[in-house]
Amino acid sequence: MRQRWRQRLLAALTLLTILVALPAGSYASAQEVTPDVARKARAVKRDDSGIDPQYINTSSITADIAISGNNAHVYASAMAKKVCRVTVTMRLQYNDNGTWRTKVSWVGSSTNGCKTLAEDFTLTKRGEYRTYAIFDVGGENLTYKSVAERY
């Protein structure tokens, strides 16, 4: 009896994982997410206190950048706790003598509770770059800054 219950629970969790991953996968087909970016994106970033923030509508947010040669792969993703409208504004920024300036910006939204943006940009100026993302998840406004990468 206990083993049957475990099998049903495992099947339900597997189905839930597949259903949650489907919308994100449809966006990934348009823009390839490299394993390095995906690995960094999964890393949970905390503040110095080691405490993760808790959100009302948002399950998770992330933003990252990977620079290879003169190509910057910029990534931002948000997932809601429920089906709602999610808007992601993703900015590629560079450090101009201590001030972060936006080089290029992208916006995308969905109504299914999750949104992923992944874009490539050719860099022409040496320096430090980061991804700055602004999220609107069911009316909850959040921001996220990636770790800076050097070109």
Side-chain angles (χ1 to χ4, degrees):
M1 180 75 170
R2 186 175 259 183
Q3 187 173 0
R4 179 180 281 173
W5 180 82
R6 285 183 184 171
Q7 288 175 339
R8 286 182 180 171
L9 180 61
L10 182 59
L13 288 174
T14 303
L15 179 61
L16 179 63
T17 302
I18 291 170
L19 289 175
V20 169
L22 279 177
S26 65
Y27 298 112
S29 64
Q31 194 69 19
E32 198 62 34
V33 178
T34 64
D36 188 48
V37 171
R39 178 186 50 78
K40 288 181 182 178
R42 285 190 298 267
V44 177
K45 294 179 177 65
R46 296 184 169 115
D47 60 13
D48 289 338
S49 67
I51 299 172
D52 286 332
Q54 298 296 308
Y55 306 117
I56 295 168
N57 297 330
T58 308
S59 174
S60 66
I61 60 171
T62 191
D64 211 348
I65 184 170
I67 297 175
S68 178
N70 66 340
N71 183 60
H73 184 76
V74 189
Y75 175 88
S77 180
M79 185 173 289
K81 293 179 181 176
K82 59 183 181 186
V83 175
C84 64
R85 182 171 187 79
V86 177
T87 303
V88 178
T89 303
M90 180 174 70
R91 298 176 180 167
L92 173 62
Q93 296 184 325
Y94 70 96
N95 192 338
D96 185 14
N97 295 322
T99 303
W100 288 99
R101 303 201 186 276
T102 299
K103 188 85 169 160
V104 64
S105 173
W106 300 272
V107 179
S109 65
S110 75
T111 56
N112 66 357
C114 65
K115 182 63 182 170
T116 299
L117 291 177
E119 298 288 341
D120 287 319
F121 186 81
T122 302
L123 302 175
T124 58
K125 184 176 184 180
R126 294 278 179 188
E128 223 177 6
Y129 289 84
R130 74 176 183 188
T131 302
Y132 181 82
I134 302 166
F135 303 97
D136 181 342
V137 181
E140 186 173 42
N141 295 305
L142 309 161
T143 61
Y144 193 102
K145 295 173 254 186
S146 73
V147 175
E149 293 279 331
R150 183 160 288 284
Y151 165 62

